[in-house]
Amino acid sequence: MSLETLSENRSFGGTQGVYRHKSQATGTDMTFGLFMPELAEHARVPVLWYLSGLTCTHENAMTKAAAQQLCADAGIAIVFPDTSPRGDDVADDEAYDLGKGAGFYVNATQDPWKPHFQMWHYIVHELPELLGDNFAVDRDRMGITGHSMGGHGALTIAMTHPERYKSVSAFAPIANPTESDWGRKQLGAYLGSDESAWRAHDSTVLMTEKGYPGEILIDQGSSDQFLDLLKPESLAHAMMARRQSGQFRMQPGYDHSYFFVQTFMNDHVMWHTERLI
């Protein structure tokens, strides 16, 4: 796969790049951000995947999450994929929570979404292969995290493919989408009316059925304006019922913004570093 460099900037001794490539999975051009620490000039480094939330592109977390210095100090790369395919011929919806910017990290099976909205395959298979072929990242040492819709993606992907992801965490994930308006609408549109097909994309369901073999870190703000849509209590109860190893932390006074993400980003980078280095 050909790779186009859109920008590269020196950052904390490493390089923050933005790249574009033609995706076979989505049938579109896809853009992603990638921070490579200085250590990558001498050896392959672990890579942390950061999946962003509704309405975001690759740029939001890249510029707002304050992760570069933390990853530089830890000697790990961090990749910021886009949240959906984009382009004039890509299906969209007038609502912000469906279509462009709202791929939900699934492989759509329904029209008009099916031709391009193959974000699960893109994140799990295609983009890791491209990174391994073009950058000094170690695909045997990958962790995954994300915020909101991205937290949903990180948890469901890690629980489905624990052999690929040695560490997992989430910021305010959409924790029970099969029982939430942030989920039922999108899963129905992308995957159809058979709700049994939705279960593979619900972290509460997956926690109940299989869990994760390592530890999980989840941070949730107690003043999050979307608590009723995120349903963190469902996932917390499932973790307790399963005796899942990890931490589910309710952070007093924090909302859903990137100020919340920034505040606890150090904890999450250290969490992954301890499990990847």
Side-chain angles (χ1 to χ4, degrees):
M1 291 177 282
S2 62
L3 188 67
E4 178 185 359
T5 299
L6 300 182
S7 65
E8 287 185 333
N9 299 96
R10 198 68 171 164
S11 177
F12 299 103
T15 301
Q16 175 61 64
V18 177
Y19 308 94
R20 181 166 57 206
H21 70 107
K22 183 71 173 180
S23 167
Q24 295 179 0
T26 68
T28 66
D29 288 338
M30 295 294 290
T31 302
F32 65 93
L34 175 67
F35 174 77
M36 295 294 290
E38 187 174 12
L39 181 61
E41 297 174 10
H42 311 287
R44 287 191 174 269
V45 296
V47 57
L48 176 60
W49 291 78
Y50 183 99
L51 306 186
S52 291
L54 288 167
T55 75
C56 290
T57 69
H58 70 281
E59 189 174 19
N60 295 75
M62 187 181 78
T63 59
K64 295 181 180 180
Q68 284 85 352
Q69 183 174 9
L70 302 171
C71 291
D73 292 343
I76 67 174
I78 184 168
V79 58
F80 306 99
D82 203 346
T83 55
S84 76
R86 300 181 191 272
D88 293 340
D89 61 341
V90 174
D92 200 10
D93 189 90
E94 62 183 12
Y96 74 93
D97 58 357
L98 185 68
K100 295 177 186 178
F104 257 73
Y105 304 103
V106 303
N107 288 336
T109 60
Q110 307 299 304
D111 290 329
W113 315 106
K114 181 179 178 180
H116 301 296
F117 282 75
Q118 303 295 312
M119 289 301 295
W120 180 282
H121 185 82
Y122 177 70
I123 295 296
V124 174
H125 300 289
E126 186 177 47
L127 190 52
E129 181 178 342
L130 184 143
L131 293 186
D133 289 345
N134 290 276
F135 301 94
V137 299
D138 186 349
R139 290 180 58 193
D140 291 327
R141 292 185 292 166
M142 297 198 305
I144 191 166
T145 189
H147 175 226
S148 193
M149 178 184 73
H152 139 81
L155 292 171
T156 55
I157 287 172
M159 281 190 276
T160 303
H161 294 288
E163 75 286 353
R164 288 177 176 263
Y165 303 94
K166 309 303 182 187
S167 58
V168 60
S169 71
F171 299 86
I174 300 174
N176 194 193
T178 61
E179 300 295 334
S180 169
D181 288 343
W182 267 4
R184 295 189 62 82
K185 171 185 177 179
Q186 295 84 357
L187 296 176
Y190 295 140
L191 303 179
S193 59
D194 181 1
E195 296 189 16
S196 65
W198 304 0
R199 295 175 63 82
H201 300 284
D202 187 310
S203 58
T204 296
V205 172
L206 291 176
M207 179 58 64
T208 300
E209 294 181 349
K210 62 178 62 179
Y212 180 74
E215 297 176 296
I216 291 177
L217 173 63
I218 297 172
D219 276 310
Q220 171 64 62
S222 68
S223 296
D224 194 313
Q225 57 270 47
F226 302 114
L227 276 176
D228 290 344
L229 293 166
L230 301 173
K231 296 189 176 296
E233 66 280 359
S234 298
L235 179 56
H237 292 159
M239 289 177 67
M240 289 296 294
R242 188 173 188 83
R243 312 296 197 265
Q244 171 67 48
S245 179
Q247 300 179 40
F248 195 115
R249 310 190 304 189
M250 186 63 73
Q251 302 293 358
Y254 286 91
D255 60 16
H256 201 69
S257 71
Y258 266 99
F259 295 109
F260 158 67
V261 173
Q262 286 179 14
T263 300
F264 299 102
M265 179 58 74
N266 180 68
D267 291 357
H268 285 248
V269 170
M270 291 302 99
W271 176 271
H272 290 277
T273 301
E274 291 170 1
R275 290 156 180 81
L276 296 175
I277 295 297

